[in-house]
């Protein structure tokens, strides 16, 4: 039976990539060792690091005004590193659209003033507040958004811009490289690798070079962005396997024709699944139509008991990890880049049958 894993992260990776990793696991390029056994300073790993960075630059069309680096500690570490390096007692605007932006704002309070410029918390994060209602600070140190809300199931479509002179910072952990983004609109973009691009172990950080100069002198070496940019992300031992997998996944995305092609597939998958949800009374989705995430489709059956039954029976059919996040309940289908249309089709067939029997 074909298994389709709808996990929100770590998540399914392209089968082709998993097969290459398996083949090379014990003997990387006839070195006699696996990549996890080889020194990060040796001749085998250096080209892997270079390729991962070059692929990201190419796929996202990143100019020389930006540095690309890899930082351990995942998304949560960036919640702290961003204000630690860039806030320095100033005021930052946070748009609170979900659990992750809320957590990020909490960390920023250790380093300055946080203005929650808009929030949809009161309505359980069921939409992205309209930009016309954002209460922005003049000359803020930066403006912070979560481009895709993995738990709530909402996404900025389109992405906002920050006021002139204010760096826009985006947590793109769950939609990086799923859609075309103009990097020049941002001061900093980061993303945990484990949602859309590889295994867990690090975040990609794309930072505009002028922002590197903002870091106060009292920030420890390992927490300074320039430590990563000046040492090719190898100040200390990097997560070499994660970066190797990232190189393979980004090779694969290039082979598919780049992000514009991938975005088309993602739109087709999401349209099909939401189209089905809208066509039934049995299932519902709480997210405002214009803000529905193309990556994480959040939905419910008529009751909590039925949700549990749905998840259990789906798992038995090879459709796994459909349980909603523990904070919100219900069901969630994460359909990142690596989920093929066949997986979405299989899910819809199951949902139809489940609704017929239980409706
Ligand atoms: C998963 C996730 C995080 C947290 O990532 P960790 O690597 O577990 O710290 C942060 N932001 C978003 C949008 C996420 O989806």
């Amino acid at each position: 039976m074909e298994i389709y894993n709808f996990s929100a992260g770590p998540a399914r990776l392209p089968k082709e990539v998993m097969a290459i990793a398996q083949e090379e696991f014990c003997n990387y390029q006839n070195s006699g060792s696996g990549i996890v056994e080889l020194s990060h300073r040796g001749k085998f790993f250096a080209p892997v690091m270079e390729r991962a960075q070059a692929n990201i630059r190419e796929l996202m069309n990143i100019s020389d005004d930006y540095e690309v680096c890899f930082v351990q500690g995942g998304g949560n570490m960036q919640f702290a590193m961003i204000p630690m390096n860039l806030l320095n007692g100033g005021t930052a605007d946070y748009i609170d659209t979900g659990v992750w932006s809320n957590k990020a704002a909490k960390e920023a309070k250790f380093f300055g003033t946080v203005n929650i410029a808009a929030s949809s918390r009161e309505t359980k994060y069921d939409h992205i507040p309209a930009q016309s209602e954002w209460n922005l600070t003049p000359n803020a140190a930066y403006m912070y958004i979560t481009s895709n809300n993995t738990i709530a199931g909402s996404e900025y479509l389109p992405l906002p811009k920050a006021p002139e002179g204010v760096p826009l910072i985006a947590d793109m952990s769950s939609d990086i490289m799923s859609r075309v983004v103009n990097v020049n609109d941002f001061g900093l973009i980061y993303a945990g690798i484990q949602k859309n691009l590889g295994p867990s172990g690090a975040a990609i950080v794309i930072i505009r070079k002028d922002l590197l100069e903002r870091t106060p002198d009292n920030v420890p070496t390992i927490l300074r962005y320039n430590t990563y940019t000046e040492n090719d992300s190898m100040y200390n031992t990097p997560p070499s396997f994660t970066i190797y997998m990232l190189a393979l996944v980004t090779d694969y995305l290039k082979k598919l024709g780049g992000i514009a092609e991938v975005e088309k597939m993602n739109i087709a998958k999401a349209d099909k699944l939401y189209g089905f949800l809208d066509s039934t009374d049995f299932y519902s989705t709480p997210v405002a139509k214009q803000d529905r995430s193309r990556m994480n489709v959040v939905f419910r059956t008529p009751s909590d008991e039925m949700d549990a039954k749905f998840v259990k029976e789906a798992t038995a059919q090879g459709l796994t990890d459909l349980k909603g996040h523990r904070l919100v309940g219900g069901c969630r289908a994460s359909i990142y880049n690596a989920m093929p249309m066949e997986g979405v089709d299989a899910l819809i067939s199951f949902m139809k049958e489940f609704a017929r029997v239980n409706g």
Side-chain angles (χ1 to χ4, degrees):
M1 177 169 59
E2 176 82 37
I3 303 291
Y4 293 107
N5 164 11
F6 291 90
S7 170
R12 181 185 168 105
L13 293 175
K15 279 195 151 176
E16 294 83 343
V17 167
M18 293 296 282
I20 296 170
Q22 181 182 43
E23 198 181 301
E24 295 184 334
F25 191 70
C26 291
N27 184 8
Y28 183 70
Q29 294 190 350
N30 289 322
S31 63
S33 297
I35 202 83
V36 295
E37 301 173 298
L38 291 162
S39 166
H40 59 291
R41 311 262 178 220
K43 70 171 184 178
F44 288 98
F45 187 70
V48 172
M49 176 62 94
E50 260 170 48
R51 200 167 94 234
Q53 295 203 0
N55 283 353
I56 292 167
R57 284 191 170 277
E58 184 181 332
L59 285 162
M60 294 184 71
N61 197 17
I62 300 173
S63 81
D64 289 342
D65 294 340
Y66 293 79
E67 297 277 4
V68 175
C69 59
F70 306 118
V71 183
Q72 294 185 57
N76 274 274
M77 174 98 130
Q78 292 310 305
F79 298 167
M81 251 177 100
I82 287 162
M84 197 181 277
N85 282 269
L86 304 176
L87 191 48
N88 201 9
T91 300
D93 288 334
Y94 277 71
I95 315 299
D96 176 28
T97 53
V99 170
W100 299 120
S101 34
N102 200 268
K103 277 187 141 178
K106 217 164 155 187
E107 296 302 302
K109 287 180 189 155
F110 289 115
F111 303 98
T113 305
V114 170
N115 172 43
I116 302 293
S119 175
S120 50
R121 191 174 184 178
E122 295 278 289
T123 53
K124 297 188 178 155
Y125 298 122
D126 63 351
H127 70 288
I128 307 270
Q131 276 185 64
S132 55
E133 292 160 19
W134 295 2
N135 178 20
L136 299 174
T137 310
N139 304 311
Y142 58 81
M143 180 178 120
Y144 182 103
I145 63 163
T146 309
S147 58
N148 181 71
N149 298 284
T150 325
I151 296 172
S154 68
E155 190 172 13
Y156 285 84
L157 306 164
L159 284 158
K161 283 192 183 163
E164 187 74 29
V166 176
L168 176 56
I169 295 188
D171 173 359
M172 294 194 183
S173 289
S174 49
D175 67 349
I176 190 160
M177 292 198 216
S178 72
R179 59 193 295 201
V180 176
V181 163
N182 182 4
V183 174
N184 294 322
D185 288 342
F186 296 84
L188 186 154
I189 291 170
Y190 74 92
I193 291 171
Q194 74 271 20
K195 304 279 163 68
N196 218 353
L197 295 177
S200 59
I204 297 172
V205 177
I206 302 163
I207 182 169
R208 211 175 61 211
K209 285 175 180 166
D210 62 288
L211 295 176
L212 293 167
E213 285 153 29
R214 279 206 198 173
T215 307
D217 290 341
N218 64 354
V219 174
T221 311
I222 195 68
L223 296 170
R224 308 174 73 87
Y225 284 118
N226 62 2
T227 298
Y228 294 84
T229 59
E230 287 167 14
N231 293 283
D232 206 15
S233 300
M234 292 201 276
Y235 173 75
N236 71 326
T237 315
S240 49
F241 187 69
T242 296
I243 290 165
Y244 159 75
M245 291 296 288
L246 174 64
L248 292 182
V249 171
T250 48
D251 282 347
Y252 175 76
L253 295 179
K254 277 165 59 179
K255 230 173 64 189
L256 289 181
I259 305 303
E261 285 306 310
V262 171
E263 180 173 15
K264 276 186 215 159
M265 293 189 250
N266 286 330
I267 290 173
K269 286 184 287 176
D271 282 353
K272 205 175 211 181
L273 190 45
Y274 285 117
F276 170 70
L277 285 173
D278 288 340
S279 75
T280 79
D281 294 329
F282 187 78
Y283 301 100
S284 60
T285 173
V287 183
K289 202 161 188 176
Q290 74 277 6
D291 301 326
R292 289 169 169 179
S293 168
R294 293 173 187 154
M295 297 284 101
N296 310 98
V297 179
V298 169
F299 60 93
R300 288 182 176 280
T301 68
S303 71
D304 291 348
E305 296 71 41
M306 193 67 86
D307 287 343
K309 186 168 190 245
F310 175 90
V311 170
K312 189 165 171 235
E313 291 184 14
T315 306
Q317 297 293 317
L319 307 167
T320 73
D321 298 81
L322 285 162
K323 192 168 189 285
H325 191 277
R326 62 196 150 79
L327 293 177
V328 299
C331 310
R332 171 175 58 175
S334 295
I335 49 172
Y336 298 122
N337 290 350
M339 178 58 66
M341 185 60 96
E342 291 75 28
V344 173
D345 288 336
L347 176 60
I348 291 172
S349 304
F350 172 77
M351 289 173 83
K352 272 187 191 157
E353 181 60 14
F354 187 83
R356 192 185 64 76
V357 173
N358 296 283

